[in-house]
């Protein structure tokens, strides 16, 4: 006879974190963790991929460089190596991120995809669930950035196209499209740079420009003045099919989050005719595309340079609005949505959040009991026993 043992109910796997829970091991998450550690505040970073700076490592093209000089992109407390160029390459930026993590002994918990996060008002804690564990803390920091998921536009007839359709998150090099006619949908920094990269591999890019866009020389970093100078420097881009907004680039970035295009060589290729500028796509055909102005052209491939979006609304249950501005604070709680300022705003955010949490950390009566171990595995996650 086979033995029959009574099955014991497995307790939920639950982790108590004495310091903040940080979601995202990109530049913002690493910066927040480093600034907290300077105040003696421990933290735990949850990262859904298997590496730090996963967007840079896994979803960027080979020729990518920082669009701003390195001094504007450095994380707090540790700058770029002096021997790095003014505009570090993708590889150099990843190297800097890895060195930064090592310098501050930051060890994210990889392969931890957040499925839900909510503030438990009955006990005053955040409950953050991944596929493996539930993490509980008084503080919660969202550092996943603006670029978590690719934006795939709905274009009539896309399913009919005979060739490959790829988002820029999967694009690595123009060598994969050598000698092809390529439709590039989108004219932001990625669309411009990928079109330039395609030119250098003897492809013929046709770049779709659907909206107005600021194109600025990369070397220019006060809005109306910036707009005036850019007109003199790059000329009137309207005749190239690149219509400039009336609002200055800095104001436009602050209000809408739309980043100006920093020219790294694409503009000269547009002027020479090597990059073709097209109006909006009306529909995709089996062999190409039909455009709003009535033109129809054949293409071998389509590249969607249509940007990214945050995935936070899908798992953060406590957000009052889809994209709150700035920092939202609650009792013993701080969480941040990035302000669409990219790397330029990372240091400011990290320092401010760390200062806020450190002030509360120091006022906690029992903070001394948190100094030996900042992660404790609990037997169960019963909220009534927390």
């Amino acid at each position: 006879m086979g033995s029959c043992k009574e099955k014991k109910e497995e307790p939920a796997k639950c982790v108590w974190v004495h310091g903040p829970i940080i979601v995202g091991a990109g530049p913002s998450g690493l910066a927040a963790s480093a600034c907290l550690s300077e105040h003696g505040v421990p933290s735990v970073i949850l990262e859904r991929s298997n590496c730090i700076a996963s967007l840079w490592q896994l979803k960027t093209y080979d020729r990518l460089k920082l669009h701003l000089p390195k001094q504007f992109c450095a994380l707090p407390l540790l700058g770029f190596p002096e021997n790095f160029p003014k505009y570090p390459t993708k590889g150099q930026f990843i190297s800097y991120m890895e060195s930064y993590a090592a310098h501050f002994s930051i060890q994210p918990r990889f392969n931890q995809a957040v499925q839900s996060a909510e503030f438990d008002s009955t006990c005053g804690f955040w409950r953050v669930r991944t596929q493996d564990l539930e993490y509980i803390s008084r503080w919660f920091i969202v550092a996943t950035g603006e670029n978590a998921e690719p934006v795939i536009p709905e274009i009539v007839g896309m399913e009919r196209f005979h060739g490959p359709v790829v988002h820029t998150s999967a694009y690595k090099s123009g060598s994969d499209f050598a000698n092809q006619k390529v439709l590039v949908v989108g004219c932001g920094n990625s669309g411009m740079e990928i079109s330039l990269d395609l030119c250098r591999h003897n492809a013929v890019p046709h770049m779709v420009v659907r909206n107005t866009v600021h194109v600025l020389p990369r070397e220019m970093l006060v809005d109306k003045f910036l707009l005036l100078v850019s007109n003199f420097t790059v000329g009137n881009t309207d005749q190239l099919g690149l219509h400039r907004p009336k609002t200055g680039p800095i104001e436009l970035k602050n209000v809408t989050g739309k980043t100006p295009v920093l020219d790294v060589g694409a503009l000269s290729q547009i002027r020479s005719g090597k990059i073709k500028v097209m109006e909006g796509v009306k529909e995709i055909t089996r062999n190409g595309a039909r455009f709003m102005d009535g033109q129809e052209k054949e293409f071998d491939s389509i590249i969607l340079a249509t940007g990214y979006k945050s995935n936070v609304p899908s798992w953060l249950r406590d957000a009052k609005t889809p994209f709150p501005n700035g920092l939202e604070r609650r009792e013993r709680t701080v969480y941040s949505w990035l302000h669409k300022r990219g790397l330029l705003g990372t240091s400011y955010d990290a320092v401010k959040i760390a200062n806020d949490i450190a002030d509360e950390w120091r006022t906690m009566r029992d903070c001394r009991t948190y100094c030996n171990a900042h992660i404790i595995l609990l037997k169960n996650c019963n909220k009534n026993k927390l």
Side-chain angles (χ1 to χ4, degrees):
M1 293 179 61
S3 61
C4 181
K5 295 183 179 179
E6 183 180 348
K7 292 184 179 179
K8 295 183 178 179
E9 184 178 345
E10 288 292 327
K13 294 181 179 179
C14 190
V15 170
W16 170 257
V17 180
H18 288 314
I21 299 168
I22 301 172
V23 181
S28 296
L30 298 180
S33 180
C35 289
L36 286 165
S37 68
E38 284 295 291
H39 291 286
V41 181
S43 62
V44 170
I45 297 180
L46 306 180
E47 168 57 47
R48 66 176 179 172
S49 73
N50 61 356
C51 61
I52 65 170
S54 61
L55 178 68
W56 281 80
Q57 297 213 48
L58 306 177
K59 296 182 179 181
T60 53
Y61 40 94
D62 295 341
R63 76 178 307 275
L64 178 64
K65 294 182 179 181
L66 290 182
H67 292 140
L68 297 175
K70 62 182 181 181
Q71 63 266 29
F72 295 102
C73 301
L75 300 188
L77 307 173
L78 183 68
F80 282 92
E82 291 186 3
N83 63 335
F84 273 25
K86 185 176 183 178
Y87 299 98
T89 64
K90 168 185 173 178
Q92 289 171 329
F93 184 74
I94 293 170
S95 172
Y96 169 61
M97 290 289 97
E98 291 174 339
S99 298
Y100 189 91
H103 180 83
F104 293 102
S105 301
I106 300 172
Q107 298 180 328
R109 291 194 159 201
F110 295 115
N111 301 308
Q112 291 293 293
V114 173
Q115 298 175 342
S116 68
E118 60 183 325
F119 185 74
D120 188 340
S121 58
T122 61
C123 57
F125 302 137
W126 281 94
R127 306 173 73 93
V128 182
R129 298 177 184 86
T130 70
Q131 74 279 12
D132 298 325
L133 296 168
E134 181 175 42
Y135 297 83
I136 300 175
S137 174
R138 284 184 168 87
W139 299 278
F140 178 50
I141 299 172
V142 176
T144 51
E146 308 163 46
N147 304 318
E149 304 291 344
V151 172
I152 308 298
E154 293 183 4
I155 303 177
V156 175
M158 186 76 80
E159 72 284 353
R160 298 199 298 262
F161 186 65
H162 74 284
V165 179
V166 299
H167 189 268
T168 50
S169 58
Y171 177 97
K172 295 302 178 185
S173 170
S175 60
D176 298 328
F177 303 88
N179 304 308
Q180 292 186 18
K181 285 184 66 177
V182 183
L183 178 64
V184 180
V185 181
C187 63
N189 281 298
S190 294
M192 286 280 198
E193 288 196 35
I194 284 174
S195 294
L196 178 61
D197 192 42
L198 290 167
C199 282
R200 292 174 176 173
H201 289 87
N202 296 316
V204 183
H206 289 61
M207 184 176 64
V208 176
V209 180
R210 296 172 293 174
N211 300 304
T212 56
V213 59
H214 279 297
V215 181
L216 308 176
R218 185 170 66 172
E219 297 298 329
M220 290 175 57
L221 274 174
V222 244
D223 225 19
K224 293 185 183 296
F225 175 74
L226 192 65
L227 188 55
L228 179 64
V229 173
S230 66
N231 278 325
F232 280 110
T233 307
V234 303
N236 183 3
T237 58
D238 285 3
Q239 60 191 0
L240 302 176
L242 303 171
H243 301 288
R244 195 187 301 277
K246 294 180 180 179
T247 306
I250 295 176
E251 182 183 351
L252 193 68
K253 172 67 174 173
N254 289 335
V255 173
T256 68
K258 188 175 181 180
T259 303
V261 173
L262 301 178
D263 180 45
V264 294
L267 210 55
S268 65
Q269 299 297 322
I270 293 173
R271 288 197 173 100
S272 70
K274 292 183 178 179
I275 296 177
K276 317 291 184 182
V277 174
M278 309 298 297
E279 290 189 16
V281 176
K282 185 175 183 179
E283 65 176 320
I284 300 296
T285 64
R286 173 173 170 74
N287 296 315
R290 188 173 294 114
F291 298 90
M292 292 298 185
D293 60 2
Q295 292 189 71
E296 186 170 348
K297 293 182 179 292
E298 294 186 354
F299 296 101
D300 300 298
S301 302
I302 297 176
I303 297 173
L304 303 176
T306 45
Y308 295 84
K309 62 183 179 181
S310 170
N311 66 359
V312 177
S314 68
W315 51 259
L316 181 57
R317 299 179 182 177
D318 205 61
K320 290 182 177 179
T321 58
F323 292 96
N325 294 320
L327 303 178
E328 181 172 334
R329 297 198 57 218
R330 303 178 180 208
E331 185 179 357
R332 294 193 173 180
T333 314
V334 178
Y335 66 83
S336 168
W337 294 64
L338 297 194
H339 308 126
K340 295 190 176 183
R341 294 199 302 266
L343 288 171
L344 193 60
T346 295
S347 289
Y348 173 84
D349 287 349
V351 170
K352 179 168 177 55
I353 292 170
N355 287 342
D356 284 348
I357 294 176
D359 288 343
E360 295 177 356
W361 174 269
R362 283 189 288 267
T363 61
M364 292 174 61
R365 294 179 181 178
D366 53 347
C367 67
R368 293 184 180 180
T369 64
Y370 293 171
C371 297
N372 294 327
H374 68 281
I375 301 179
I376 298 175
L377 182 64
L378 303 178
K379 291 184 178 180
N380 64 65
C381 290
N382 188 332
K383 65 175 68 178
N384 295 324
K385 294 184 178 181
L386 289 177

